Amino acid sequence: MESYSNSSFGYNKTVLIFVLAVYIPMDIIIIVGNTFVLVVIRRTPSLHELQFTLLASLAFVDLLSGLIGLPLSIWGNITRQSMRLVVDDCELQYIPGKIFFATSYTHLLIITTDRYIAITKPLHYHKILTRTRIRIYIALSWMFGCMFGVLYLFPEIKRRDMDTFFCFQTSKTIGTIAIIVAVSLGIIMMIFMYTCIFIEARKHHRKHRTSVEKSQFKRTFKGAKTALIVVGFFMMYYLPNVIRILLSIKIPRNELFWLEWIAEMCTVSSMAINPLIYVCRYKRFAQAFHKLCHSSVQTGSLSEEK
């Protein structure tokens, strides 16, 4: 018993160091970065277009992930293998994170569709995608995310009491199948739409256009390339999760603990990288970021003088 206690203490100490060194700073970056995106879009009239409404909604989802989903996931991982609470098979604390993940992924699909219509059907874009329809699609993405989270509560829920703690043993099979199917179909759809977007861009360059038409198309195509970068980073960071799911079929979960941490960290990183992408791709975000940095430097200089 004493040796188990010592090993458990060493295990929890290692996990705690990892959380303090990686997860908490990452969580702060997610919260600050996505708050910055929301504030810039809110205060900049030129960014009140439909595509930026979708980016703001995505930033709000990522912000909630930083405020709710990630802290619960951190708590779940710290308490795993605890002497008082064994949560190897407890998924309840991870369900909010899964809801935010599914909602975020659906947002990427909607953003891709928005850019697809803007490039391939520019004359009918504002008729097909109105602000009301965009709000409906955002609401549907949240409904899909909540339905995805609920899948982990079926077909069986078992409450397990351990002293003053409790957890829920939930079904992972249905949720895992759903995420594989949904992500696969989404990837196929996005590959198709981005292929059509780049084909249309090549056709556009071959045609004789006025300078105004060229400028408008360049601006629209820039939004499509930005969306592709965001989707690309999301897929790249989600790859370790795919590897983890495949390996978990044959390998016990407790042997994949650090792979789970790496997979979760990569997924979380995609939420932190989006604000940086916007700063690099859009002039308004870059100006706001430079202004913020300049103000911080001035504030620091004034503090030193006092």
Side-chain angles (χ1 to χ4, degrees):
M1 185 72 178
E2 184 179 354
S3 61
Y4 179 83
S5 178
N6 291 334
S7 62
S8 177
F9 174 76
Y11 169 90
N12 289 329
K13 186 178 179 181
T14 303
V15 170
L16 184 60
I17 292 172
F18 188 80
V19 167
L20 293 174
V22 178
Y23 262 70
I24 292 180
M26 186 69 70
D27 196 23
I28 294 173
I29 293 172
I30 291 171
I31 294 171
V32 173
N34 287 286
T35 300
F36 165 78
V37 171
L38 290 171
V39 171
V40 171
I41 292 177
R42 175 69 178 175
R43 294 186 175 182
T44 309
S46 61
L47 298 181
H48 291 176
E49 299 176 1
L50 293 181
Q51 63 169 320
F52 293 106
T53 300
L54 289 171
L55 292 183
S57 183
L58 176 61
F60 179 68
V61 177
D62 291 342
L63 177 61
L64 289 180
S65 296
L67 292 172
I68 302 173
L70 186 55
L72 287 176
S73 179
I74 291 172
W75 176 84
N77 281 288
I78 289 177
T79 55
R80 185 181 296 172
Q81 297 292 344
S82 171
M83 286 281 293
R84 302 185 69 193
L85 175 62
V86 181
V87 291
D88 275 345
D89 51 358
C90 293
E91 291 289 329
L92 191 63
Q93 65 268 31
Y94 300 111
I95 287 178
K98 295 180 187 299
I99 291 173
F100 296 137
F101 164 80
T103 306
S104 180
Y105 181 75
T106 311
H107 271 69
L108 293 180
L109 191 57
I110 296 172
I111 290 170
T112 300
T113 305
D114 169 75
R115 292 299 85 198
Y116 169 76
I117 296 173
I119 295 292
T120 59
K121 302 181 185 299
L123 298 178
H124 305 284
Y125 172 72
H126 291 289
K127 293 181 180 180
I128 297 173
L129 289 179
T130 62
R131 194 166 295 277
T132 301
R133 288 179 180 175
I134 288 295
R135 289 170 180 168
I136 292 173
Y137 297 149
I138 291 173
L140 289 174
S141 73
W142 276 103
M143 290 176 60
F144 172 79
C146 292
M147 289 172 60
F148 176 74
V150 169
L151 289 177
Y152 282 85
L153 297 177
F154 294 99
E156 185 178 18
I157 304 175
K158 296 180 181 179
R159 176 168 173 166
R160 299 171 52 198
D161 292 299
M162 303 282 289
D163 296 333
T164 58
F165 297 93
F166 69 92
C167 64
F168 287 82
Q169 179 181 350
T170 65
S171 172
K172 305 182 189 70
T173 305
I174 298 178
T176 302
I177 294 173
I179 195 170
I180 292 174
V181 173
V183 171
S184 300
L185 290 176
I187 290 173
I188 292 171
M189 291 173 63
M190 285 190 281
I191 289 174
F192 169 77
M193 285 188 281
Y194 280 116
T195 300
C196 292
I197 286 172
F198 280 96
I199 290 174
E200 188 65 28
R202 291 187 63 182
K203 290 180 181 178
H204 184 274
H205 286 301
R206 294 173 183 172
K207 296 178 181 179
H208 296 288
R209 305 279 186 177
T210 64
S211 58
V212 176
E213 289 176 331
K214 288 181 179 180
S215 177
Q216 179 63 32
F217 183 84
K218 184 179 180 181
R219 187 166 176 266
T220 306
F221 188 59
K222 181 179 181 179
K225 288 193 289 185
T226 302
L228 178 60
I229 293 171
V230 172
V231 171
F233 271 101
F234 182 89
M235 295 303 174
M236 181 180 68
Y237 284 129
Y238 189 69
L239 183 60
N241 264 296
V242 177
I243 297 172
R244 177 189 63 81
I245 292 172
L246 295 176
L247 290 178
S248 63
I249 298 173
K250 296 292 184 180
I251 302 174
R253 185 178 178 183
N254 59 349
E255 296 182 14
L256 297 174
F257 175 76
W258 285 108
L259 179 59
E260 284 193 11
W261 273 91
I262 293 172
E264 289 175 12
M265 186 179 67
C266 288
T267 303
V268 166
S269 299
S270 66
M271 303 172 192
I273 197 72
N274 289 347
L276 181 60
I277 294 173
Y278 304 151
V279 169
C280 294
R281 295 288 299 171
Y282 293 112
K283 185 178 179 180
R284 293 293 184 183
F285 285 102
Q287 288 175 343
F289 181 74
H290 290 312
K291 185 178 180 180
L292 180 64
C293 293
H294 184 66
S295 299
S296 300
V297 171
Q298 284 186 333
T299 303
S301 300
L302 291 173
S303 300
E304 289 179 1
E305 289 177 2
K306 290 180 180 180

